[in-house]
């Protein structure tokens, strides 16, 4: 399942992130890559343990927490602290699959990466190339979203970032361990939830159909969720 989540960041949050990142130090992106990815990765990142990186990561987490579409699609149990990357002219990331398990720095915990997310921070007109190309059962999708929008997709997907030919592409990226690890079940629950939301536009919340659909949705979550 691939889901486009618009307007995750407000214009004010986006402006703050852009200003902070413009003043940040950047390091080789290979520092957070696995053995396979390190051979394919050519970009820059904000240091994972920097004060600025942690502050902006908390900003992104707060934005995700108030976004019902992200919650519905990802069904998050744990979210890896968001990271920030930058692709300048000539930089790219060859096709790869994300590591299945990620240690959360400074905690002793690890998360299973069920859902991958990219939050775009640069307007698409500011750079050429840089498309996120995702290959999965839904086909091959080339993604280039407005600044402040997010795309989430299964971490099992083969994906790449096309070479930048003009400008610079900035983004936040992170992984989610979902309460429902199976993508097909998550997709079913997401579609079910969206249908309930649409039904509520024309029916009162206490209508028998709404009550029945909502009960079935939560009973499916109860059956499939792992905590």
């Amino acid at each position: 399942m691939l889901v486009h989540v618009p307007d995750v960041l407000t214009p004010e949050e986006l402006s703050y992130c852009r200003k902070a990142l413009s003043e940040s130090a950047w390091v080789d992106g290979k520092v957070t890559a696995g053995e396979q990815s390190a051979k394919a990765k050519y970009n820059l990142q904000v240091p994972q343990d920097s004060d600025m990186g942690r502050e902006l990561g908390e900003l992104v987490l707060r934005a995700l927490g108030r976004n019902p579409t992200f919650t519905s699609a990802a069904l998050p149990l744990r979210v890896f602290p968001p990271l920030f990357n930058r692709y300048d002219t000539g930089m790219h990331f060859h096709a790869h699959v994300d590591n299945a398990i990620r240690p959360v720095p400074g905690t002793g915990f690890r998360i299973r990466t069920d859902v991958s997310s990219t939050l775009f921070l640069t307007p698409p007109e500011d750079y050429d190339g840089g498309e996120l190309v995702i290959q999965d059962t839904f086909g091959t999708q080339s993604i280039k979203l407005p600044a402040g929008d997010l795309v989430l997709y299964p971490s099992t997907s083969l994906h790449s970032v096309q070479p930048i030919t003009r400008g610079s592409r900035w983004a936040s990226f992170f992984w989610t361990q979902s309460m429902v690890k199976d993508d097909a079940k998550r997709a079913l629950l997401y579609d079910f939830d969206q249908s309930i939301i649409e039904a509520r536009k024309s029916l009162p919340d206490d209508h028998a159909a709404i009550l029945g659909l909502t009960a079935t949705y939560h009973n499916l979550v109860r059956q499939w969720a792992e905590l």
Side-chain angles (χ1 to χ4, degrees):
M1 176 179 63
L2 184 153
V3 178
H4 171 198
V5 186
D7 301 321
V8 171
L9 298 183
T10 66
E12 293 76 19
E13 289 171 331
L14 185 59
S15 177
Y16 182 81
C17 283
R18 292 278 303 171
K19 184 177 186 301
L21 290 173
S22 69
E23 299 170 354
S24 177
W26 297 85
V27 298
D28 192 323
K30 295 182 190 295
V31 295
T32 56
E35 182 178 356
Q36 173 209 16
S37 297
K39 300 174 183 177
K41 188 176 188 180
Y42 301 92
N43 67 3
L44 301 172
Q45 285 181 204
V46 173
Q48 193 170 4
D49 58 353
S50 69
D51 291 340
M52 182 60 69
R54 284 193 291 267
E55 179 189 347
L56 295 182
E58 288 294 329
L59 183 152
V60 171
L61 289 175
R62 289 194 298 271
L64 296 175
R66 65 173 186 256
N67 190 288
T69 304
F70 174 80
T71 300
S72 177
L75 293 171
L77 177 62
R78 300 181 182 91
V79 179
F80 192 89
L83 302 171
F84 297 85
N85 62 18
R86 170 177 178 167
Y87 291 82
D88 293 334
T89 301
M91 294 182 179
H92 59 281
F93 202 159
H94 291 306
H96 64 285
V97 172
D98 292 332
N99 288 357
I101 304 295
R102 287 266 175 183
V104 180
T107 67
F109 292 103
R110 296 177 295 172
I111 74 165
R112 184 186 64 239
T113 58
D114 298 320
V115 180
S116 297
S117 296
T118 296
L119 173 60
F120 289 77
L121 302 175
T122 307
E125 62 270 18
D126 282 6
Y127 62 99
D128 293 332
E131 294 85 0
L132 174 63
V133 178
I134 304 169
Q135 304 173 51
D136 209 311
T137 54
F138 44 70
T140 299
Q141 303 289 327
S142 181
I143 312 295
K144 190 172 184 178
L145 299 180
D149 286 16
L150 176 144
V151 62
L152 61 84
Y153 55 96
S155 296
T156 52
S157 304
L158 191 67
H159 58 283
S160 61
V161 176
Q162 295 299 294
I164 296 287
T165 59
R166 178 188 64 87
S168 184
R169 171 199 188 269
W170 299 1
S172 176
F173 65 103
F174 53 91
W175 302 272
T176 301
Q177 180 171 336
S178 178
M179 291 182 287
V180 178
K181 68 179 179 180
D182 183 82
D183 181 60
K185 291 177 180 177
R186 278 200 314 276
L188 179 62
L189 288 169
Y190 176 71
D191 289 343
F192 201 156
D193 192 29
Q194 296 308 298
S195 295
I196 293 172
I197 291 170
E198 287 301 312
R200 279 178 169 159
K201 293 178 180 178
S202 55
L203 296 173
D205 283 350
D206 60 353
H207 191 283
I210 298 296
L211 294 174
L213 289 170
T214 303
T216 301
Y217 170 84
H218 284 287
N219 285 334
L220 285 173
V221 173
R222 185 175 291 110
Q223 180 175 342
W224 292 339
E226 300 177 9
L227 304 179

PDB file of all heavy atoms in Angstrom, residues 193-209:
ATOM      1  N   ASP A 193     -11.376   2.059   7.119  1.00  0.00           N
ATOM      2  CA  ASP A 193     -11.457   3.300   7.894  1.00  0.00           C
ATOM      3  C   ASP A 193     -11.882   4.473   7.016  1.00  0.00           C
ATOM      4  O   ASP A 193     -12.710   5.307   7.415  1.00  0.00           O
ATOM      5  CB  ASP A 193     -10.099   3.583   8.547  1.00  0.00           C
ATOM      6  CG  ASP A 193     -10.178   4.677   9.600  1.00  0.00           C
ATOM      7  OD1 ASP A 193     -11.246   4.841  10.219  1.00  0.00           O
ATOM      8  OD2 ASP A 193      -9.165   5.367   9.810  1.00  0.00           O
ATOM      9  N   GLN A 194     -11.320   4.553   5.809  1.00  0.00           N
ATOM     10  CA  GLN A 194     -11.697   5.639   4.897  1.00  0.00           C
ATOM     11  C   GLN A 194     -13.170   5.543   4.505  1.00  0.00           C
ATOM     12  O   GLN A 194     -13.853   6.563   4.351  1.00  0.00           O
ATOM     13  CB  GLN A 194     -10.804   5.618   3.657  1.00  0.00           C
ATOM     14  CG  GLN A 194      -9.337   5.879   3.937  1.00  0.00           C
ATOM     15  CD  GLN A 194      -9.102   7.141   4.747  1.00  0.00           C
ATOM     16  OE1 GLN A 194      -9.420   8.244   4.311  1.00  0.00           O
ATOM     17  NE2 GLN A 194      -8.541   6.983   5.936  1.00  0.00           N
ATOM     18  N   SER A 195     -13.675   4.334   4.348  1.00  0.00           N
ATOM     19  CA  SER A 195     -15.089   4.156   4.022  1.00  0.00           C
ATOM     20  C   SER A 195     -15.982   4.615   5.181  1.00  0.00           C
ATOM     21  O   SER A 195     -17.050   5.217   4.958  1.00  0.00           O
ATOM     22  CB  SER A 195     -15.375   2.686   3.691  1.00  0.00           C
ATOM     23  OG  SER A 195     -14.697   2.296   2.520  1.00  0.00           O
ATOM     24  N   ILE A 196     -15.571   4.327   6.400  1.00  0.00           N
ATOM     25  CA  ILE A 196     -16.332   4.791   7.566  1.00  0.00           C
ATOM     26  C   ILE A 196     -16.357   6.315   7.608  1.00  0.00           C
ATOM     27  O   ILE A 196     -17.401   6.937   7.867  1.00  0.00           O
ATOM     28  CB  ILE A 196     -15.729   4.212   8.863  1.00  0.00           C
ATOM     29  CG1 ILE A 196     -15.921   2.697   8.908  1.00  0.00           C
ATOM     30  CG2 ILE A 196     -16.372   4.863  10.092  1.00  0.00           C
ATOM     31  CD1 ILE A 196     -15.190   2.019  10.052  1.00  0.00           C
ATOM     32  N   ILE A 197     -15.212   6.941   7.338  1.00  0.00           N
ATOM     33  CA  ILE A 197     -15.137   8.404   7.333  1.00  0.00           C
ATOM     34  C   ILE A 197     -16.094   8.982   6.290  1.00  0.00           C
ATOM     35  O   ILE A 197     -16.811   9.966   6.548  1.00  0.00           O
ATOM     36  CB  ILE A 197     -13.692   8.859   7.068  1.00  0.00           C
ATOM     37  CG1 ILE A 197     -12.808   8.506   8.259  1.00  0.00           C
ATOM     38  CG2 ILE A 197     -13.633  10.358   6.768  1.00  0.00           C
ATOM     39  CD1 ILE A 197     -11.325   8.698   8.015  1.00  0.00           C
ATOM     40  N   GLU A 198     -16.131   8.384   5.098  1.00  0.00           N
ATOM     41  CA  GLU A 198     -17.039   8.851   4.048  1.00  0.00           C
ATOM     42  C   GLU A 198     -18.491   8.645   4.447  1.00  0.00           C
ATOM     43  O   GLU A 198     -19.345   9.517   4.211  1.00  0.00           O
ATOM     44  CB  GLU A 198     -16.740   8.126   2.737  1.00  0.00           C
ATOM     45  CG  GLU A 198     -15.457   8.568   2.060  1.00  0.00           C
ATOM     46  CD  GLU A 198     -15.468  10.057   1.726  1.00  0.00           C
ATOM     47  OE1 GLU A 198     -16.477  10.533   1.161  1.00  0.00           O
ATOM     48  OE2 GLU A 198     -14.477  10.742   2.051  1.00  0.00           O
ATOM     49  N   ALA A 199     -18.791   7.511   5.064  1.00  0.00           N
ATOM     50  CA  ALA A 199     -20.169   7.229   5.474  1.00  0.00           C
ATOM     51  C   ALA A 199     -20.651   8.226   6.521  1.00  0.00           C
ATOM     52  O   ALA A 199     -21.833   8.619   6.538  1.00  0.00           O
ATOM     53  CB  ALA A 199     -20.273   5.802   6.004  1.00  0.00           C
ATOM     54  N   ARG A 200     -19.748   8.655   7.387  1.00  0.00           N
ATOM     55  CA  ARG A 200     -20.127   9.603   8.437  1.00  0.00           C
ATOM     56  C   ARG A 200     -20.483  10.985   7.891  1.00  0.00           C
ATOM     57  O   ARG A 200     -21.093  11.791   8.584  1.00  0.00           O
ATOM     58  CB  ARG A 200     -18.977   9.728   9.443  1.00  0.00           C
ATOM     59  CG  ARG A 200     -18.938   8.602  10.461  1.00  0.00           C
ATOM     60  CD  ARG A 200     -17.765   8.724  11.401  1.00  0.00           C
ATOM     61  NE  ARG A 200     -17.871   7.798  12.511  1.00  0.00           N
ATOM     62  CZ  ARG A 200     -16.842   7.393  13.256  1.00  0.00           C
ATOM     63  NH1 ARG A 200     -15.621   7.840  12.982  1.00  0.00           N
ATOM     64  NH2 ARG A 200     -17.031   6.563  14.252  1.00  0.00           N
ATOM     65  N   LYS A 201     -20.116  11.251   6.652  1.00  0.00           N
ATOM     66  CA  LYS A 201     -20.468  12.537   6.052  1.00  0.00           C
ATOM     67  C   LYS A 201     -21.957  12.632   5.725  1.00  0.00           C
ATOM     68  O   LYS A 201     -22.502  13.732   5.597  1.00  0.00           O
ATOM     69  CB  LYS A 201     -19.639  12.763   4.781  1.00  0.00           C
ATOM     70  CG  LYS A 201     -18.147  12.951   5.036  1.00  0.00           C
ATOM     71  CD  LYS A 201     -17.376  13.122   3.733  1.00  0.00           C
ATOM     72  CE  LYS A 201     -15.892  13.304   4.005  1.00  0.00           C
ATOM     73  NZ  LYS A 201     -15.110  13.427   2.742  1.00  0.00           N
ATOM     74  N   SER A 202     -22.601  11.484   5.591  1.00  0.00           N
ATOM     75  CA  SER A 202     -24.019  11.494   5.238  1.00  0.00           C
ATOM     76  C   SER A 202     -24.908  10.806   6.272  1.00  0.00           C
ATOM     77  O   SER A 202     -26.135  10.871   6.166  1.00  0.00           O
ATOM     78  CB  SER A 202     -24.231  10.830   3.870  1.00  0.00           C
ATOM     79  OG  SER A 202     -23.687   9.526   3.847  1.00  0.00           O
ATOM     80  N   LEU A 203     -24.303  10.143   7.255  1.00  0.00           N
ATOM     81  CA  LEU A 203     -25.074   9.455   8.282  1.00  0.00           C
ATOM     82  C   LEU A 203     -24.635   9.916   9.670  1.00  0.00           C
ATOM     83  O   LEU A 203     -23.461  10.208   9.885  1.00  0.00           O
ATOM     84  CB  LEU A 203     -24.876   7.939   8.181  1.00  0.00           C
ATOM     85  CG  LEU A 203     -25.380   7.241   6.909  1.00  0.00           C
ATOM     86  CD1 LEU A 203     -24.945   5.780   6.913  1.00  0.00           C
ATOM     87  CD2 LEU A 203     -26.895   7.344   6.801  1.00  0.00           C
ATOM     88  N   PRO A 204     -25.543   9.977  10.635  1.00  0.00           N
ATOM     89  CA  PRO A 204     -25.157  10.345  12.005  1.00  0.00           C
ATOM     90  C   PRO A 204     -24.310   9.258  12.644  1.00  0.00           C
ATOM     91  O   PRO A 204     -24.405   8.071  12.284  1.00  0.00           O
ATOM     92  CB  PRO A 204     -26.508  10.507  12.714  1.00  0.00           C
ATOM     93  CG  PRO A 204     -27.461   9.670  11.923  1.00  0.00           C
ATOM     94  CD  PRO A 204     -26.994   9.740  10.500  1.00  0.00           C
ATOM     95  N   ASP A 205     -23.492   9.666  13.611  1.00  0.00           N
ATOM     96  CA  ASP A 205     -22.580   8.704  14.246  1.00  0.00           C
ATOM     97  C   ASP A 205     -23.315   7.570  14.954  1.00  0.00           C
ATOM     98  O   ASP A 205     -22.742   6.489  15.150  1.00  0.00           O
ATOM     99  CB  ASP A 205     -21.679   9.430  15.250  1.00  0.00           C
ATOM    100  CG  ASP A 205     -20.562  10.199  14.555  1.00  0.00           C
ATOM    101  OD1 ASP A 205     -20.378  10.015  13.331  1.00  0.00           O
ATOM    102  OD2 ASP A 205     -19.878  10.992  15.232  1.00  0.00           O
ATOM    103  N   ASP A 206     -24.568   7.815  15.376  1.00  0.00           N
ATOM    104  CA  ASP A 206     -25.300   6.764  16.083  1.00  0.00           C
ATOM    105  C   ASP A 206     -26.160   5.913  15.146  1.00  0.00           C
ATOM    106  O   ASP A 206     -26.949   5.082  15.609  1.00  0.00           O
ATOM    107  CB  ASP A 206     -26.157   7.374  17.184  1.00  0.00           C
ATOM    108  CG  ASP A 206     -27.195   8.368  16.657  1.00  0.00           C
ATOM    109  OD1 ASP A 206     -27.159   8.682  15.446  1.00  0.00           O
ATOM    110  OD2 ASP A 206     -28.031   8.843  17.452  1.00  0.00           O
ATOM    111  N   HIS A 207     -25.991   6.100  13.836  1.00  0.00           N
ATOM    112  CA  HIS A 207     -26.712   5.261  12.877  1.00  0.00           C
ATOM    113  C   HIS A 207     -26.220   3.823  13.002  1.00  0.00           C
ATOM    114  O   HIS A 207     -25.036   3.557  13.220  1.00  0.00           O
ATOM    115  CB  HIS A 207     -26.484   5.787  11.459  1.00  0.00           C
ATOM    116  CG  HIS A 207     -27.373   5.187  10.428  1.00  0.00           C
ATOM    117  ND1 HIS A 207     -27.172   3.924   9.910  1.00  0.00           N
ATOM    118  CD2 HIS A 207     -28.492   5.669   9.815  1.00  0.00           C
ATOM    119  CE1 HIS A 207     -28.114   3.662   9.023  1.00  0.00           C
ATOM    120  NE2 HIS A 207     -28.930   4.701   8.948  1.00  0.00           N
ATOM    121  N   ALA A 208     -27.148   2.878  12.839  1.00  0.00           N
ATOM    122  CA  ALA A 208     -26.812   1.463  13.027  1.00  0.00           C
ATOM    123  C   ALA A 208     -25.693   1.019  12.093  1.00  0.00           C
ATOM    124  O   ALA A 208     -24.822   0.225  12.488  1.00  0.00           O
ATOM    125  CB  ALA A 208     -28.061   0.603  12.808  1.00  0.00           C
ATOM    126  N   ALA A 209     -25.681   1.534  10.865  1.00  0.00           N
ATOM    127  CA  ALA A 209     -24.638   1.136   9.922  1.00  0.00           C
ATOM    128  C   ALA A 209     -23.270   1.631  10.368  1.00  0.00           C
ATOM    129  O   ALA A 209     -22.272   0.899  10.272  1.00  0.00           O
ATOM    130  CB  ALA A 209     -24.967   1.680   8.525  1.00  0.00           C
TER     131      ALA A 209
END
